[in-house]
Amino acid sequence: MKNRTLFYLLFFQVIALILLFPYTPKGEEFMANYFPSVNLREEELIPPPTPAPTPAPSPTPAPVPLTAFYTGIGEELPGYYDLVSLRTEGGEFSDELLTRLRQLGMPMILELREDGSGVLGIFDQAIALTLDTEKMLAFSEGKTLPFFYLDGRLRIQDGMQFMIFERRF
């Protein structure tokens, strides 16, 4: 039994050496000399990878100034606007509620003058404001707020709170 175990151990060692021999430096030399058709160095068979071609830089379009989008807005802004949407920290006023409040006589208007000044009349408050159409900013009570104007709708925003006014025609 002992001899059989020793035999198997020796047998597996010899098999392991035979299998691993071609991958040793002496084994590679032996294989290249005696079996020239066998090439154990794969890097010689497979060409080295070529670097990817660098794409030609595409011409960067000239930046479009923001004034291109609101040129002439100063001429469009003056007039009267009705409040159509209002969102505050407490929630959002529905269109029907705003319409009903307007019908009850509660003022919710914005009057803008040609010089950029205006008055915001919401419920029982009248707040003076000034619009800078070059920077798209509204100034009121020490606050600077961005505003957006498109197709007769003016949106004045303060963080997540906003008011949307629609122009009277």
Side-chain angles (χ1 to χ4, degrees):
M1 180 80 172
K2 203 181 219 185
N3 288 340
R4 189 179 264 177
T5 307
L6 186 61
F7 172 76
Y8 285 122
L9 184 65
L10 189 59
F11 176 74
F12 286 118
Q13 285 179 349
V14 169
I15 296 294
L17 286 174
I18 291 172
L19 291 175
L20 295 176
F21 177 72
Y23 299 102
T24 64
K26 287 280 186 191
E28 286 181 2
E29 183 182 329
F30 175 82
M31 297 297 281
N33 289 334
Y34 291 101
F35 302 102
S37 63
V38 175
N39 190 346
L40 298 176
R41 297 179 189 220
E42 293 179 0
E43 63 270 2
E44 291 176 4
L45 290 176
I46 302 171
T50 56
T54 55
S58 61
T60 306
V64 178
L66 287 177
T67 53
F69 296 103
Y70 57 83
T71 301
I73 197 170
E75 291 87 37
E76 287 184 43
L77 279 178
Y80 289 90
Y81 295 81
D82 291 314
L83 181 68
V84 293
S85 183
L86 175 65
R87 176 194 260 167
T88 64
E89 292 172 354
E92 191 166 345
F93 287 76
S94 69
D95 292 342
E96 338 179 314
L97 178 62
L98 291 174
T99 303
R100 218 173 318 150
L101 290 173
R102 231 183 338 270
Q103 289 170 348
L104 292 172
M106 294 193 142
M108 294 180 289
I109 61 168
L110 173 65
E111 176 191 355
L112 295 177
R113 298 181 197 101
E114 290 182 12
D115 64 355
S117 65
V119 176
L120 174 61
I122 301 268
F123 306 123
D124 61 346
Q125 296 180 346
I127 303 167
L129 61 91
T130 307
L131 297 181
D132 182 349
T133 57
E134 293 295 314
K135 297 179 181 173
M136 300 294 284
L137 294 174
F139 304 97
S140 174
E141 297 179 347
K143 283 187 157 185
T144 303
L145 308 169
F147 75 88
F148 309 95
Y149 180 81
L150 182 65
D151 296 332
R153 296 190 118 200
L154 178 74
R155 178 181 174 134
I156 300 175
Q157 188 154 346
D158 182 10
M160 293 303 291
Q161 302 177 81
F162 62 85
M163 295 178 284
I164 298 177
F165 296 90
E166 195 169 87
R167 186 180 178 94
R168 288 185 192 172
F169 287 102

